[in-house]
Amino acid sequence: MSDEADAETSDALAERRGVETEVYQPAEDSHLLAEVVVERVDAGDTVLEVGTGSGYVASSVAAETGARVVGSDVNPHACRQARERGVEAVRADLTEPFRDGAFDAVVFNPPYLPEEPVAARDDWMETALTGGETGREVTEVFLDGVGRVLAPGGVVFLLASTLSGVDEVAEYAGECGFSTAAVRDESFPFETLTILALHPGE
Amino acid sequence: MKRDLMDIVCCPLDKHDLELDVDVEEDEVLEGTLTCTDCGETYPIEDGIPNLLPPDMRD
């Protein structure tokens, strides 16, 4: 990424942070993820959205498919916003407090921006946006644990970005025993977003 | 939280079942406590939101 692109990205983040400093608000990535998941979830499914933030994706999926959608977030402000939107909210660390085999689908738009130590802020928005030095740290911890909570035939929908590496995420998912397919790509000025569908291997 | 969330959640530490104690309930459980049936760790439900973070990650 060029310095110019870097600066533009920071500006966009600053602007977003100006509007809302405690809970990540729906953006292009949220819309893309919601669109893909709505097409692939059925009314009888039980769905978990990890890191639900404002609850936008979870409430869209629930409203448009009739599925039961639970939203979890580590951020208490996000849990409250999601609940106000009608989402069943649980304060949680990724998939830790959910039962084995509980979900037909698990959805995650992870914090994926590589951390810039100089700009690091120890607040909830930082938690929502950055995934450690590589941008993939939270995604990798998620991939380590998500298989446990998937029902037989279950699927994970995971958003990845060229800003932190799509191939690297797919490769790590493979190491965790998932087969991976890219189900949607969309290009934006400074990144391409990909929604990966992950199925546990046999 | 809805009562049938109990079918979905478990103790984040050891994945055992939780027991629900209700203090305030309207259409759903607004205030109460979830207790692990194995390790005994307790998790609060406040304003309808269960806090199932492990104790070392709470505020």
Side-chain angles (χ1 to χ4, degrees), chain A residues 58-110:
Chain A
S59 65
S60 302
V61 172
E64 291 184 41
T65 67
R68 179 178 190 180
V69 185
V70 173
S72 77
D73 208 294
V74 70
N75 173 352
H77 308 290
C79 289
R80 280 195 289 274
Q81 270 195 25
R83 185 173 153 79
E84 280 165 21
R85 232 183 240 266
V87 174
E88 280 189 81
V90 178
R91 193 164 175 214
D93 176 25
L94 300 171
T95 56
E96 290 300 324
F98 300 103
R99 289 179 186 248
D100 293 9
F103 299 105
D104 301 296
V106 178
V107 179
F108 191 23
N109 174 7

Side-chain angles (χ1 to χ4, degrees), chain A residues 132-162:
Chain A
E133 226 171 280
T134 60
R136 297 189 299 277
E137 286 176 19
V138 179
T139 299
E140 291 178 356
V141 177
F142 166 78
L143 288 169
D144 289 336
V146 67
R148 183 184 61 81
V149 301
L150 278 186
V155 57
V156 177
F157 296 104
L158 176 65
L159 185 138
S161 162
T162 46

Side-chain angles (χ1 to χ4, degrees), chain A residues 46 68 70 74 76 79-80 83 88-93 96-99 102-103 124 148, chain B residues 2 4-10 12 15 17 28 30 47-53 57 59:
Chain A
T46 303
R68 179 178 190 180
V70 173
V74 70
C79 289
R80 280 195 289 274
R83 185 173 153 79
E88 280 189 81
V90 178
R91 193 164 175 214
D93 176 25
E96 290 300 324
F98 300 103
R99 289 179 186 248
F103 299 105
W124 288 116
R148 183 184 61 81
Chain B
K2 295 179 186 166
D4 63 0
L5 191 72
M6 296 303 292
D7 300 336
I8 291 175
V9 294
C10 63
K15 317 305 177 197
D17 290 355
E28 41 186 292
L30 296 180
D47 299 324
I49 300 169
N51 182 348
L52 285 166
L53 287 177
M57 285 182 72
D59 291 338

Side-chain angles (χ1 to χ4, degrees), chain B residues 1-24:
Chain B
M1 60 168 265
K2 295 179 186 166
R3 275 183 180 261
D4 63 0
L5 191 72
M6 296 303 292
D7 300 336
I8 291 175
V9 294
C10 63
C11 176
L13 299 175
D14 56 28
K15 317 305 177 197
H16 281 90
D17 290 355
L18 297 167
E19 196 177 275
L20 171 65
D21 291 303
V22 177
D23 294 326
V24 181

